[in-house]
């Protein structure tokens, strides 16, 4: 099952008031890439590693093995409240 390839979640740190991406990829070679401009992530999009701070707005995430997309794309929306 491809769901075992990678797991993503968002964790909010109330002390620093920041949302961070949590990535667990037990399969070697799996990389999470994403965009913040609304476009679909590609194999050449920015890498989003475990602990990446998320900015306000929507981040689209896609796991890749090389240039091949694995799993469904995931969109994460975050609103920073002051």
């Amino acid at each position: 099952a491809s769901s075992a390839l990678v797991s993503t979640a968002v964790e909010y740190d109330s002390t620093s008031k920041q949302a961070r991406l949590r990535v667990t990829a037990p399969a070697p070679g799996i990389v999470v890439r994403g965009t913040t401009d609304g476009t679909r992530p590609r194999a050449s999009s920015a890498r989003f590693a475990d602990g990446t701070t998320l900015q306000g707005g929507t981040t689209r995430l896609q796991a890749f093995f090389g240039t091949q997309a694995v799993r469904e794309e995931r969109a994460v929306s975050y609103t920073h409240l002051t």
Side-chain angles (χ1 to χ4, degrees), residues 31-49 59-64 66-69 73:
V31 175
V32 175
R33 300 203 177 268
T35 61
T36 57
D37 63 2
T39 60
R40 185 178 187 104
R42 299 182 312 215
S44 60
S45 296
R47 182 177 183 167
F48 280 65
T59 301
R60 293 176 70 171
L61 303 168
Q62 176 70 59
F64 287 89
T67 59
Q68 180 66 41
E73 176 188 334

Side-chain angles (χ1 to χ4, degrees), residues 7-75:
S7 174
T8 58
V10 176
E11 177 181 89
Y12 182 75
D13 182 338
S14 60
T15 303
S16 66
K17 298 183 179 177
Q18 294 181 328
R20 296 193 188 280
L21 180 65
R22 305 311 304 178
V23 177
T24 304
I30 299 293
V31 175
V32 175
R33 300 203 177 268
T35 61
T36 57
D37 63 2
T39 60
R40 185 178 187 104
R42 299 182 312 215
S44 60
S45 296
R47 182 177 183 167
F48 280 65
D50 184 53
T52 298
T53 300
L54 299 177
Q55 303 303 315
T58 300
T59 301
R60 293 176 70 171
L61 303 168
Q62 176 70 59
F64 287 89
F65 181 78
T67 59
Q68 180 66 41
V70 294
R71 289 195 63 197
E72 295 292 319
E73 176 188 334
R74 180 170 183 199

